[in-house]
Amino acid sequence: MPPDAHLPQLREALLAWFAAHQRPLPWRINYTPYEVWISEVMLQQTQMERGVSYFTRWMARFPDVAALAAASEEEVLRLWEGLGYYSRARHVLAAARLIMEKHKGVFPSGLEDIRALPGVGPYTAGAVASIAFGEKLPCVDANVERVVARVFDLDGPVKQEPAASAVRAWALRLVPEGRAREHNQAMMELGALVCGKKPRCALCPLAAFCVSLHLGIVDQRPVPGKRAAITPIEVVTGVLRHTGRVFVQKRLASGVWGNLWEFPGGRVEPGESPEQAVAREFGEETGFDVAVDRSYGIIRHGYTTYRITLHCFALSLAATTAAATAAEPPAPPILTAASAWRWVTPVELENLAMPAAHRKLADQIFGPGGQSRLPGA
DNA sequence: CACTCGTGGGC
DNA sequence: TGCCCAAGAGT
């Protein structure tokens, strides 16, 4: 059964399935370019369910490009906190300001103009152009790669050539005239709900057209690519408290968690205890001479290719420090790994964007609303 | 092309 | 539990 001759039937089966089974989602109501754009960026490498609450909060606060462009990066990052890949948030803000300046506040409709926005790559440009503006273009994400690799039985890793080009070619051929919006969402929805990691072929509207299913090798498609090795690392962080306030610093713009606020810390060196490491790292990053008062325990988390064990400690200014017993702020820190610093109250901490592990620690110490749950405040 | 850049769900 | 991985982009 050559799939080429059955493309019209395949398209119709897919569209019918989508009409019956699509999930009701907040960005499937108005289809404004702004909403499509924000939803697509939020959903990059993110599970759909998680994106819904973020999207709803975002639209309540930033209902249009102008509102976003006028916002501070601090607030944008705070709303993005927990979604990860924070350069997406910084790019979205930069793009909104670019739209205000170069496009007079009107979201650009041309593919090239959309693609030129910061943080908009091949996928997102095609998604906005087709879903918001109806352009006859495919959206090739991981879902589409998986669906195409199975239906057309591609036998190479879909992230690499030549399979990557084959996926794009098939994806383009599949797009029906005048219905790119529904079709592209249907392909991704099918990949999410039916043609997932564990395919549910009995429920699939494309089963009759699926080559790898007929060959009995669906479980061998798509062909997986190389995986990066996971590196375990031991890390420490310290919560330095003084007269009811907590010390935080703002990470540099480049690198992981760029421009987010954190408790200082760093890696445990070989032969070093976590207690020794936190005092050393805190001193290196701030110039403060600190004493380790107690442990807050361990938080495990991972990012990209790292698996982190985070040892958390309560710190105070060392007795040798003049300000240790004084009821006034100590001398300013000498920052070596951050662009800014603050002594904040637990309530103020709520308004700062922090990495997930540090937010988890803050909530553990001060409570989700900033009320102290542990002695020593 | 290969690497960086987060996070939490699911199995 | 440990590991895979999800509506990718930038360098």
Side-chain angles (χ1 to χ4, degrees):
Chain A
M1 179 178 295
D4 314 51
H6 297 79
L7 289 188
Q9 296 98 307
L10 190 158
R11 294 185 188 108
E12 284 306 314
L14 181 66
L15 288 170
W17 174 86
F18 184 65
H21 297 284
Q22 67 168 300
R23 291 168 288 186
L25 295 167
W27 49 85
R28 286 180 178 163
I29 299 172
N30 300 316
Y31 288 108
T32 66
Y34 173 68
E35 289 177 296
V36 172
W37 168 51
I38 295 298
S39 68
E40 292 298 340
V41 176
M42 279 188 172
L43 291 168
Q44 288 170 14
Q45 302 292 287
T46 302
Q47 292 167 337
M48 169 103 54
E49 296 273 331
R50 266 176 70 68
V52 172
S53 59
Y54 280 88
F55 180 86
T56 303
R57 273 189 308 160
W58 184 280
M59 287 303 157
R61 175 60 187 86
F62 308 127
D64 51 38
V65 174
L68 174 57
S72 69
E73 184 184 275
E74 294 267 337
E75 188 181 5
V76 168
L77 285 173
R78 183 64 185 86
L79 271 185
W80 204 272
E81 183 190 285
L83 271 181
Y85 290 129
Y86 297 96
S87 63
R88 292 183 296 173
R90 286 182 263 118
H91 283 145
V92 155
L93 177 58
R97 290 173 177 171
L98 188 152
I99 291 170
M100 296 307 293
E101 294 171 9
K102 295 196 174 179
H103 299 286
K104 302 178 180 177
V106 179
F107 201 99
S109 58
L111 181 65
E112 295 307 315
D113 286 338
I114 298 171
R115 177 70 177 80
L117 297 173
V120 174
Y123 165 77
T124 305
V128 175
S130 65
I131 297 174
F133 295 106
E135 293 287 324
K136 190 174 178 296
L137 298 166
C139 298
V140 180
D141 73 331
N143 285 307
V144 175
E145 287 173 349
R146 192 169 54 252
V147 171
V148 168
R150 284 172 175 160
V151 171
F152 301 107
D153 188 34
L154 305 187
D155 60 4
V158 290
K159 299 285 188 190
Q160 302 167 26
E161 299 299 349
S165 290
V167 169
R168 286 194 298 272
W170 276 115
L172 174 59
R173 289 189 62 187
L174 286 174
V175 183
E177 195 69 42
R179 303 200 63 181
R181 169 185 292 175
E182 296 90 335
H183 172 84
N184 283 335
Q185 292 188 90
M187 288 286 286
M188 295 187 281
E189 193 83 329
L190 188 73
L193 299 182
V194 176
C195 196
K197 180 164 59 175
K198 185 181 177 184
R200 306 163 70 185
C201 301
L203 304 176
C204 184
L206 305 187
F209 312 96
C210 185
V211 177
S212 67
L213 177 60
H214 283 271
L215 294 176
I217 57 171
V218 172
D219 59 335
Q220 299 171 36
R221 301 287 180 267
V223 177
K226 293 180 186 174
R227 272 190 298 278
I230 301 298
T231 308
I233 52 177
E234 300 281 324
V235 176
V236 294
T237 191
V239 181
L240 175 61
R241 305 169 75 166
H242 183 70
T243 62
R245 291 176 179 268
V246 180
F247 183 84
V248 290
Q249 63 180 12
K250 188 175 184 177
R251 296 179 60 89
L252 302 178
S254 61
V256 66
W257 300 303
N259 285 355
L260 269 64
W261 291 83
E262 67 170 6
F263 306 115
R267 296 181 63 153
V268 180
E269 299 296 340
E272 193 177 40
S273 72
E275 288 83 354
Q276 292 170 324
V278 74
R280 175 185 56 76
E281 284 285 350
F282 215 101
E284 290 175 1
E285 294 193 346
T286 68
F288 288 136
D289 186 11
V290 298
V292 179
D293 293 337
R294 56 160 291 191
S295 168
Y296 285 134
I298 286 172
I299 293 176
R300 298 181 197 282
H301 66 115
Y303 75 93
T304 61
T305 61
Y306 296 96
R307 186 177 57 77
I308 291 178
T309 303
L310 179 64
H311 302 261
C312 309
F313 297 95
L315 307 179
S316 57
L317 291 170
T320 56
T321 304
T325 56
E328 59 193 53
I334 301 169
L335 299 179
T336 60
S339 61
W341 57 272
R342 288 178 64 183
W343 287 97
V344 296
T345 66
V347 172
E348 290 169 335
L349 206 53
E350 291 293 305
N351 294 323
L352 302 180
M354 305 178 75
H358 287 237
R359 176 63 67 195
K360 195 177 299 180
L361 174 60
D363 286 348
Q364 182 183 313
I365 299 171
F366 305 109
Q371 305 99 327
S372 180
R373 288 181 172 180
L374 292 173

